[in-house]
């Protein structure tokens, strides 16, 4: 599972495909996914700041890759905090 449209994600996705893995990728906008990768992975539209989407997306994945913060973030510290909050385990309660 990886964000496939930034700087690192497409490279990692290609390497996974070359290694024979069918990755699950989490693009916010599946239309931005590289056409060459569409047939070799499973795209699950997700915003990595949406807690419910982040918790649902792995659904049995063997491994996770998370790139933080988004490279296009205007405020990288705020973006990192939002991702951390969305992806932190829930408190019992």
């Amino acid at each position: 599972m990886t964000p496939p449209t930034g700087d690192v994600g497409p490279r990692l996705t290609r390497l996974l495909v070359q290694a024979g893995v069918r990755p699950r990728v989490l693009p916010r906008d599946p239309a931005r996914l590289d056409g060459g990768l569409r047939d070799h992975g499973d795209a699950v539209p997700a915003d990595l700041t949406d807690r419910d989407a982040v918790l649902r997306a792995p659904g049995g994945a063997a491994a996770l890759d998370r790139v933080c913060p988004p490279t296009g973030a205007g405020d990288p510290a705020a973006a990192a905090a939002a991702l951390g909050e969305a992806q932190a385990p829930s408190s019992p309660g």
Side-chain angles (χ1 to χ4, degrees):
M1 185 172 93
T2 184
T5 57
D7 293 324
V8 176
R11 294 177 190 155
L12 176 59
T13 303
R14 278 189 204 87
L15 289 171
L16 290 169
V17 169
Q18 290 170 358
V21 173
R22 183 175 182 88
R24 181 176 310 151
V25 295
L26 307 178
R28 274 183 295 235
D29 179 3
R32 291 188 53 216
L33 185 60
D34 181 293
L37 298 176
R38 284 191 186 119
D39 295 334
H40 302 287
D42 300 313
V44 177
D47 179 340
L48 296 182
T49 62
D50 177 344
R51 182 180 188 80
D52 291 335
V54 169
L55 293 174
R56 269 192 321 272
L64 302 174
D65 170 63
R66 179 177 72 108
V67 179
C68 176
T71 56
D75 181 349
L83 284 176
E85 186 175 310
Q87 296 177 18
S90 297
S91 314

